């Protein structure tokens, strides 16, 4: 069985696109951006077997030498954590997905942040908006595996799963908003996104915000447990 058969992944998409189109190529007219939601793909959790994930001890030295992960300020890190944890701190009705009790706070994970930043870097420079990597030179993990990367690929590339037995991740992306409150409110208004944010099995997260050349922001948020 291929290792991808055992992916534990909930891919979430909170989309801000041009008009009512669904193209992954982004127009530069920020004034025409509106909010749209796309149903996420959901996969169940699985036990990781020893041969499910292969690690290369030199993996960290194989990425594009021109690519550098930007650090995040303590102020932004704490602000992002506080907003997600505030949402999880209250019981919530997620519509068709049911009602959820308040759940415990998440902690920050640097590896998950690295995967978030990598995807924002790719979307910004390749002018795309998708959970899949662009498959261009800007898709750092994609260059390594020689195909467009998935959220799972990018998290594996950080070695986040290195000591995992059971694991799960969820990736949220958004484009447009300047403020974390706006982004979280978009996700909470959608039943499936709301339910995933409220899942009690997640214990940690990373989130990245990158300014596009057109004045709007790319956001990637990954929640995980292992």
């Amino acid at each position: 069985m291929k290792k991808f058969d055992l992916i534990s992944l909930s891919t979430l998409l909170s989309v801000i696109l041009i008009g009512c189109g669904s193209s992954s190529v982004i127009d530069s007219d920020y004034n025409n951006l509106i909010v749209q939601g796309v149903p996420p793909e959901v996969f169940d959790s699985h036990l990781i077997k020893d041969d499910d994930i292969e690690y290369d001890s030199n993996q960290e030295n194989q990425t594009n030498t021109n690519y550098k992960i930007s650090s995040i300020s303590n102020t932004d890190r704490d602000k992002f954590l506080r907003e997600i944890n505030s949402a999880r701190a209250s019981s919530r009705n997620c519509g068709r997905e049911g009602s959820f009790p308040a759940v415990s706070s998440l902690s920050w994970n640097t590896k998950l942040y690295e995967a978030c930043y990598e995807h924002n870097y790719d979307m910004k420079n390749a002018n795309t908006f998708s959970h899949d990597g662009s498959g261009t030179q800007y898709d750092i993990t994609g260059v390594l595996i020689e195909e467009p990367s998935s959220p799972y690929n990018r998290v594996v590339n950080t070695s986040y799963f290195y000591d995992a037995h059971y694991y799960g991740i969820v990736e949220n992306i958004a484009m447009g908003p300047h403020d974390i409150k706006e982004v979280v409110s978009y996700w909470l208004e959608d039943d499936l996104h709301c339910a995933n944010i409220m899942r009690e099995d997640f214990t940690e997260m990373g989130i990245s915000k990158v300014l596009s050349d057109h004045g709007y922001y790319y956001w990637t948020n990954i929640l995980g447990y292992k």
Side-chain angles (χ1 to χ4, degrees):
M1 181 177 290
K2 297 180 180 179
K3 65 184 180 182
F4 293 103
D5 292 334
L6 295 179
I7 295 174
S8 169
L9 174 64
S10 300
T11 54
L12 296 185
L13 182 56
S14 180
V15 187
I16 303 174
L17 296 177
I18 306 305
C20 295
S22 59
S23 171
S24 62
V25 178
I26 306 307
D27 190 281
S28 62
D29 187 359
Y30 177 69
N31 292 325
N32 289 333
L33 294 176
I34 65 171
V35 178
Q36 283 191 342
V38 174
E41 297 178 45
V42 179
F43 297 82
D44 292 329
S45 302
H46 290 283
L47 170 68
I48 294 183
K49 299 178 182 178
D50 291 340
D51 59 353
D52 286 340
I53 300 176
E54 297 178 1
Y55 292 94
D56 188 326
S57 60
N58 296 316
Q59 193 173 52
E60 292 183 359
N61 298 320
Q62 293 177 6
T63 54
N64 188 323
T65 56
N66 295 321
Y67 170 70
K68 303 295 181 184
I69 297 173
S70 177
S71 60
I72 184 172
S73 70
N74 291 340
T75 299
D76 280 346
R77 180 199 64 196
D78 293 345
K79 184 190 301 182
F80 298 162
L81 263 175
R82 185 165 57 248
E83 199 62 33
I84 296 290
N85 284 332
S86 177
R88 289 169 60 88
S90 301
S91 59
R92 196 170 297 278
N93 185 336
C94 295
R96 292 167 298 173
E97 298 302 306
S99 295
F100 293 80
V103 289
S104 58
S105 296
L106 306 172
S107 59
W108 185 261
N109 185 277
T110 301
K111 296 294 186 183
L112 295 181
Y113 167 73
E114 290 173 359
C116 292
Y117 180 82
E118 176 187 328
H119 194 42
N120 280 346
Y121 170 88
D122 182 22
M123 290 192 292
K124 170 188 173 179
N125 288 286
N127 197 38
T128 62
F129 186 60
S130 171
H131 285 290
D132 293 328
S134 67
T136 69
Q137 62 181 313
Y138 305 113
D139 184 359
I140 303 304
T141 295
V143 170
L144 294 180
I145 63 176
E146 299 182 338
E147 62 182 51
S149 65
S150 69
Y152 173 77
N153 298 146
R154 294 188 291 271
V155 174
V156 166
N157 194 35
T158 70
S159 297
Y160 173 74
F161 297 137
Y162 182 74
D163 56 355
H165 296 291
Y166 285 92
Y167 72 98
I169 61 168
V170 59
E171 180 180 86
N172 311 326
I173 62 174
M175 186 190 72
H178 288 223
D179 183 76
I180 182 65
K181 288 182 180 294
E182 294 179 74
V183 176
V184 173
S185 69
Y186 294 153
W187 291 328
L188 290 176
E189 288 170 3
D190 177 82
D191 295 347
L192 289 170
H193 295 74
C194 172
N196 277 278
I197 287 176
M198 296 301 295
R199 279 176 53 179
E200 64 179 353
D201 45 355
F202 290 129
T203 60
E204 48 198 352
M205 62 163 268
I207 189 168
S208 168
K209 170 187 178 184
V210 170
L211 181 64
S212 76
D213 294 332
H214 307 298
Y216 52 80
Y217 284 86
Y218 287 99
W219 296 81
T220 300
N221 171 217
I222 300 176
L223 288 74
Y225 70 85
K226 58 180 181 176

